[in-house]
Amino acid sequence: MKRIKILLTNKMVQDGVLSIGAKVIFFLVLKFLIEPWMNVRMGDAGFGHYVLVLGYISILAYSFGEALNHIRVLNQSKDESRAAGYRVIAAVEAAVTFFVLFFYAVVPEKESMGNGALLGLAGALMMLRLYSECMFRIEINYRRILLSSVLMAAGYLAGYFLFTAGAPWYVILVLGEATAVVYAGIAGKAFAVKHVRRTAGELSERLNQIVRNTVTLTSSYLVSYALIYLDRFLVALLLSDELVSIYYISTTYGKCVALVIPPITAVLLSNISKGLLPLDRRMVNRVVAGSLGAILLFFVAGLAVSRVMVYVLYPTSYQACLPVMDIGNLAQIVYYSCSIVNMLAIRLCPMRLQVKVEVSYAILFIAAAYIGAGSFGLVGLAVGTLAANTARFLMLTLPVYRQLKKNEACGEKEAYS
């Protein structure tokens, strides 16, 4: 009992619970309320199209937003002097996201200019929300992240009711993401800049450094997130639009892993960056063992839970989802577990490793999914995805241990010199 009390008073445990709680609240509202309601109103084909477009939005928003977020958290010791640079880059990335999605809506999708603007705005706001959360992570203030999630969920619900009144579904994202961005701007001062006296040369040098790091990590994340959502694009390309909906629904449980693993990763990253946790072999072993344990735990638990979830939320699709459910969920679990070891790779290894791993993974994933889908349909695509995700886990873990060995060897040389 005493150990439990000590555990519950541990700051890292409390932060982890709050971070997971923030994810759970939004996930429950989106996945258990809004999307099932949308599926009923839109049908499998319409809902499948929503899933595809949401994939395009998420690739841009997450790649730009999370990359800049992680760079600012990792370099928080220099945050005050570089705040203006982050604001410039965030504005540029939001503009790029808006215009890319606007063009996609108006030209390939043949939407009206108004709907195109809504889609572009939804993506830009999502990107800014993902970036602006860095301020709460720098402060290690996960209560504010929890409140941000509550406000965003309320915004999504308000947007859904506008959708039922005839508005395009893009308005759901616009209202939800805008609520979170406004809160981060006010409570976290995410877009404020402290006036620090510096020369034009110093400003240029700092901005150039941020830009170089941002371009490198964003390139990696673009590949990474494109591959997260590539399964639904390949299903549409190789099989059919209707099966996009079936595959998405089948892996609902696997997406639940995103409620637990990424928030834990964020807490670890914040504490390692502040020097509160040592990044030695013992810690690396614990993190890798924890990620493997998480894969096993979530998969075993999901054998029953995934069936209950799909049966309750999407009863008309239950039978169609059964053949692909277990393999598809395991593939998702392995992929999200990679974020834990990737946190170690970002911290210990050269940033170029990210690009090498993601490019190699991209080639392997497309080849495995193509062969699997061509041979065994939707189940084969899920098997190919699982194989590629397992390879990605190894491609991130092995270099971490190689770099750790090099660091230890350098330490021994310094000790003897």
Side-chain angles (χ1 to χ4, degrees):
M1 195 68 176
K2 187 177 179 181
R3 287 183 178 180
I4 294 175
K5 287 183 179 179
I6 293 172
L7 188 65
L8 291 175
T9 56
N10 182 280
K11 182 67 166 59
M12 269 192 64
V13 173
Q14 291 175 348
D15 289 341
V17 171
L18 289 170
S19 187
I20 292 169
K23 290 284 185 180
V24 168
I25 289 169
F26 178 66
F27 188 91
L28 289 177
V29 170
L30 182 63
K31 303 296 181 183
F32 284 64
L33 294 176
I34 294 174
E35 288 190 343
W37 294 342
M38 290 176 69
N39 180 252
V40 171
R41 296 181 70 88
M42 302 170 78
D44 280 342
F47 187 71
H49 183 68
Y50 152 79
V51 170
L52 286 173
V53 177
L54 183 62
Y56 294 129
I57 296 172
S58 299
I59 288 170
L60 289 172
Y62 275 84
S63 299
F64 287 134
E66 287 209 332
L68 196 58
N69 178 315
H70 292 167
I71 288 170
R72 190 164 186 177
V73 171
L74 285 168
N75 295 280
Q76 56 190 271
S77 61
K78 302 172 182 176
D79 187 71
E80 185 174 290
S81 63
R82 293 182 172 179
Y86 290 116
R87 188 170 63 174
V88 170
I89 295 172
V92 171
E93 290 182 340
V96 170
T97 303
F98 175 87
F99 285 112
V100 169
L101 291 172
F102 176 81
F103 177 83
Y104 166 75
V106 173
V107 180
E109 290 290 308
K110 294 181 171 57
E111 292 273 12
S112 67
M113 300 282 279
N115 284 350
L118 279 175
L119 178 59
L121 186 59
L125 287 169
M126 185 182 290
M127 176 265 146
L128 289 172
R129 187 260 300 177
L130 290 162
Y131 157 67
S132 62
E133 286 180 355
C134 69
M135 302 310 297
F136 303 138
R137 291 179 180 175
I138 289 172
E139 297 171 359
I140 314 187
N141 191 334
Y142 287 89
R143 285 184 175 83
R144 285 185 171 176
I145 290 181
L146 179 65
L147 180 55
S148 175
S149 180
V150 171
L151 293 172
M152 182 167 62
Y156 267 71
L157 281 171
Y160 174 76
F161 289 114
L162 289 178
F163 166 68
T164 61
W169 64 261
Y170 313 136
V171 76
I172 300 173
L173 275 67
V174 169
L175 284 183
E177 300 295 339
T179 304
V181 170
V182 170
Y183 175 71
I186 296 172
K189 295 182 173 59
F191 308 105
V193 176
K194 292 183 179 180
H195 295 287
V196 180
R197 296 184 68 180
R198 51 188 177 268
T199 66
E202 289 174 331
L203 181 61
S204 176
E205 182 182 348
R206 286 163 182 159
L207 181 59
N208 287 340
Q209 182 61 47
I210 300 170
V211 169
R212 285 195 295 269
N213 289 338
T214 301
V215 169
T216 301
L217 194 57
T218 300
S219 300
S220 170
Y221 280 19
L222 276 169
V223 176
S224 177
Y225 280 108
L227 293 168
I228 289 178
Y229 297 101
L230 186 59
D231 52 4
R232 64 187 69 178
F233 303 143
L234 288 174
V235 171
L237 179 66
L238 302 174
L239 301 170
S240 69
D241 286 349
E242 287 76 13
L243 286 178
V244 174
S245 178
I246 297 301
Y247 189 78
Y248 183 78
I249 293 169
S250 298
T251 55
T252 298
Y253 171 79
K255 296 178 184 68
C256 289
V257 177
L259 301 178
V260 178
I261 292 179
I264 291 174
T265 303
V267 173
L268 286 171
L269 185 62
S270 295
N271 284 272
I272 289 172
S273 298
K274 284 188 175 291
L276 301 178
L277 289 176
L279 201 53
D280 53 18
R281 181 172 290 273
R282 186 180 180 187
M283 179 57 67
V284 170
N285 287 341
R286 285 181 175 179
V287 171
V288 173
S291 62
L292 292 172
I295 291 171
L296 179 61
L297 175 65
F298 284 118
F299 176 67
V300 172
L303 293 174
V305 175
S306 60
R307 284 161 172 75
V308 174
M309 288 177 65
V310 173
Y311 186 79
V312 171
L313 298 175
Y314 303 94
T316 58
S317 303
Y318 178 73
Q319 290 298 327
C321 291
L322 282 175
V324 74
M325 196 177 293
D326 294 333
I327 299 171
N329 282 321
L330 181 57
Q332 294 277 320
I333 291 167
V334 171
Y335 186 88
Y336 284 117
S337 296
C338 287
S339 69
I340 301 178
V341 292
N342 193 39
M343 178 266 299
L344 299 176
I346 289 173
R347 190 67 179 172
L348 286 171
C349 303
M351 201 66 77
R352 61 179 177 274
L353 173 70
Q354 297 290 311
V355 178
K356 290 179 181 178
V357 168
E358 298 307 340
V359 170
S360 300
Y361 170 64
I363 295 169
L364 180 60
F365 177 56
I366 293 172
Y370 183 82
I371 294 169
S375 303
F376 303 103
L378 198 58
V379 174
L381 186 142
V383 171
T385 302
L386 175 59
N389 290 351
T390 303
R392 182 174 184 264
F393 186 94
L394 294 173
M395 286 189 288
L396 287 168
T397 305
L398 296 178
V400 166
Y401 278 104
R402 283 197 295 268
Q403 186 63 43
L404 201 60
K405 189 174 180 179
K406 287 181 182 178
N407 294 348
E408 290 170 346
C410 290
E412 288 176 4
K413 286 180 182 179
E414 289 177 3
Y416 284 112
S417 61

